[in-house]
Amino acid sequence: MIKLIEVYREKELGANNIFNMREVYINPAHVVCMYDDPSMVRNLNEGYLPNDMDKRQSFTRLRLNQGQSLYQITVVGNMGIISEKLGLAHAGRQLLHD
């Protein structure tokens, strides 16, 4: 299990959302795919994430296998850092880039 920081929707305020963060533990074998999450960068720049976050922060969306369904979460960090933490580059598997 690998510890990551998830960004989650805490509450909705009309058309706006307020986000918070929490620690999560992920089984790397359950990660189906990952990709950049530019919508969370936009939320950060618009002030919907905690104020103490660096505005240069990047986010990655993970799709996790839950048996017969997929579960999506957004975590703090770019895809390179997250794939390294999950051990995907070291297990003989590497992400393909455009």
Side-chain angles (χ1 to χ4, degrees), residues 38 40-59:
M40 200 56 70
V41 172
R42 190 171 43 255
N43 287 323
L44 173 63
N45 291 329
E46 292 175 1
Y48 299 124
L49 274 77
N51 291 333
D52 58 345
M53 287 194 77
D54 188 328
K55 299 296 183 196
R56 298 171 292 176
Q57 190 62 262
S58 57
F59 302 90

Side-chain angles (χ1 to χ4, degrees), residues 9 11-19 43 46 48:
R9 181 180 296 128
K11 57 184 162 182
E12 292 184 34
L13 297 173
N16 301 323
N17 297 304
I18 301 298
F19 295 89
N43 287 323
E46 292 175 1
Y48 299 124

